[in-house]
Amino acid sequence: MAYQSLRLEYLQIPPVSRAYTTACVLTTAAVQLELITPFQLYFNPELIFKHFQIWRLITNFLFFGPVGFNFLFNMIFLYRYCRMLEEGSFRGRTADFVFMFLFGGFLMTLFGLFVSLVFLGQAFTIMLVYVWSRRNPYVRMNFFGLLNFQAPFLPWVLMGFSLLLGNSIIVDLLGIAVGHIYFFLEDVFPNQPGGIRILKTPSILKAIFDTPDEDPNYNPLPEERPGGFDWGEGQRLGG
């Protein structure tokens, strides 16, 4: 019975969020079981372009380090904000969501050539958080019961938290930069006088991922219901 409930809950996760989160968990599990090593996964331009180890373009987004606080923290944020985006502003637009993944991954890979980062999954998570936060500017957040702020400040709060933990903030800055580029090109520039929509989802992605019918039994997450989610009373990020 418990298995059936877990299975149903798992299948209710929207497809892109389910596929990406599952791939990250399975990749980490494979490393923990020593089936593969991080050296087979990390971003290395020379191995990619000279030795044709093309899989590294994808696997460097799937590994978040060994199982521990940092891994769980990243998985919670990845699952939560990836799902909220897919069920919120990208609801019924799976192809557009996949295109955002491809666009963000391409830019991060391009920037990764210059900032010497070997794993880009955390930066990708920050990108998702940034886009969600800019599209939900009036949602109130509570971080560990210490800070109350509006959603657009969330990426910067996370960067400050990384700094307190002694981590490099280059990863956070990369995620914020790529998230801002996407948000500007998709949400801001087309609505400016004389602005045009530069980012256009290829027809092949729409043919593969978009379905014409909407699920009549859709039950949105609390964050997407009218009135939003009551972040200010008892809900703590990371807690």
Side-chain angles (χ1 to χ4, degrees):
M1 196 69 178
Y3 167 76
Q4 288 295 331
S5 298
L6 285 173
R7 180 175 178 274
L8 287 174
E9 181 64 28
Y10 176 73
L11 292 177
Q12 286 179 358
I13 301 172
V16 178
S17 300
R18 181 172 67 235
Y20 185 42
T21 306
T22 300
C24 293
V25 172
L26 290 179
T27 300
T28 300
V31 172
Q32 288 293 116
L33 295 172
E34 298 183 351
L35 300 176
I36 56 177
T37 72
F39 295 104
Q40 296 171 289
L41 307 174
Y42 76 99
F43 179 70
N44 185 314
E46 183 176 352
L47 293 177
I48 293 171
F49 299 113
K50 291 186 178 180
H51 297 273
F52 306 106
Q53 297 182 10
I54 306 299
W55 67 83
R56 294 177 184 273
L57 291 171
I58 298 174
T59 56
N60 81 90
F61 287 98
L62 304 180
F63 184 63
F64 288 80
V67 175
F69 174 77
N70 192 56
F71 170 77
L72 294 175
F73 190 80
N74 277 291
M75 283 298 99
I76 290 171
F77 272 79
L78 170 63
Y79 165 75
R80 184 175 187 82
Y81 290 97
C82 190
R83 179 171 183 174
M84 286 198 294
L85 273 176
E86 191 168 3
E87 292 187 338
S89 58
F90 285 99
R91 181 185 172 195
R93 300 168 51 219
T94 302
D96 293 339
F97 195 45
V98 171
F99 183 64
M100 186 190 77
F101 266 57
L102 296 175
F103 177 77
F106 172 77
L107 280 188
M108 287 186 187
T109 299
L110 188 64
F111 293 151
L113 296 172
F114 305 100
V115 294
S116 300
L117 292 175
V118 293
F119 291 105
L120 298 171
Q122 186 176 339
F124 194 84
T125 300
I126 294 296
M127 180 196 77
L128 296 174
V129 171
Y130 183 90
V131 174
W132 178 87
S133 70
R134 292 302 300 268
R135 289 182 171 178
N136 295 271
Y138 303 112
V139 174
R140 293 288 298 171
M141 314 292 287
N142 182 291
F143 192 74
F144 288 111
L146 301 174
L147 293 173
N148 292 292
F149 51 89
Q150 300 290 105
F153 292 101
L154 178 58
W156 304 101
V157 171
L158 292 177
M159 186 178 71
F161 185 64
S162 293
L163 192 62
L164 287 176
L165 293 178
N167 299 326
S168 171
I169 62 172
I170 293 178
V171 172
D172 301 82
L173 289 173
L174 176 60
I176 289 172
V178 173
H180 183 73
I181 291 171
Y182 176 82
F183 176 76
F184 178 80
L185 294 178
E186 179 69 14
D187 292 39
V188 178
F189 185 64
N191 297 315
Q192 299 298 311
I196 59 173
R197 183 170 297 279
I198 297 175
L199 299 180
K200 295 181 180 179
T201 303
S203 300
I204 187 171
L205 290 182
K206 290 184 176 293
I208 294 173
F209 293 104
D210 282 352
T211 55
D213 298 322
E214 186 174 285
D215 183 4
N217 299 316
Y218 170 71
N219 185 27
L221 290 176
E223 294 86 339
E224 306 301 339
R225 294 175 186 151
F229 188 81
D230 196 357
W231 283 102
E233 296 192 20
Q235 281 293 331
R236 298 180 180 178
L237 291 175

